[in-house]
Amino acid sequence: MKKIIIGNWKLNLDHLEAIQLLQKINYSLPDNIEDKIEIILSPSFTSIRSLQTVISSDKLKIKLSSQNVSQFSSGAYTGEVSATQLKKLEIDYGIVGHSERRTLFNEIDLVINDKVNRLIENDIVPVFCFGERIEERKSGSYFNFIENQINEGLKGLRKDKVNKLVVAYEPIWAIGTGEVASLENIVEVLDFVKNIISKKPFFNEDNIKFIYGGSVSPDNAQEILNSKIIDGVLVGGASLDATKFVDIIKAVEL
Ligand code: 13P
């Protein structure tokens, strides 16, 4: 299965800086690597149009993801951005349920489930994030916690609608902390989640990818990316540095 590497730029870079970083990353990529690895960048809403213009005019093979989407399709929802609007900008992926949205913006499972549905209706692949806090990890209750996030967030999805899905394990204690989860931790959770998802009506072995995020860097990328169980990575901090991000991409053994 083709590995995927997503750079989540979070709340960083204006649109001019974003273009510069895109060009720097693209310039440093080995030839045709995008044919073997799916490379996706997730900038702020304000940069999407600019990046999309560069990508389509220069025929870059880098794809775009949003970091968020409205749970509503249209209407009187000040400040929201819809999946339909994103689709017009040739967005292929959309991050939903990131822990920063769950914890800092009180996004609950019900809202996340609506967002997943809006993306699917617009043919945008959801990058559905889940993961436990340090409390659940320490108390050993993380399996229950994660099972609930998966069941609620992906509730009611229909097989005929779900073309592709990315499921991203992002343990909160590993995000932005420099403390990467061990390969054993990641594989244990992804195996557990694959088992839950394999029983869902929308399950399709070939079209669901299971990835990891949390302090991924050039130092740990090789071990993570070359595990057969892990289909890719979601990179935060290190994706803001072209050299580091490209070194992570190069860590995939082709
Ligand atoms: P860091 O790579 O900075 O830990 O962030 C991970 C993340 O939240 C990606 O979505």
Side-chain angles (χ1 to χ4, degrees), residues 6-10 95 98-100 129 168 170-172 174-179 212-217 233-239:
I6 308 174
N8 177 8
W9 289 350
K10 307 192 181 184
I95 296 174
H98 193 282
S99 66
E100 285 148 18
C129 301
E170 293 215 311
I172 296 175
I175 296 177
T177 58
E179 190 185 344
Y212 167 78
S215 297
V216 174
S217 71
V233 288
L234 183 46
V235 187
S239 71

Side-chain angles (χ1 to χ4, degrees), residues 45-82:
F45 285 133
T46 51
S47 301
I48 289 177
R49 176 67 171 144
S50 312
L51 295 198
Q52 180 240 344
T53 307
V54 175
I55 288 171
S56 68
S57 65
D58 293 354
K59 298 194 171 44
L60 307 188
K61 288 186 186 145
I62 295 173
K63 294 180 178 166
L64 291 176
S65 170
S66 58
Q67 296 177 15
N68 189 19
V69 66
S70 178
Q71 76 256 45
F72 303 109
S73 300
S74 66
Y77 301 106
T78 303
E80 292 290 282
V81 174
S82 75

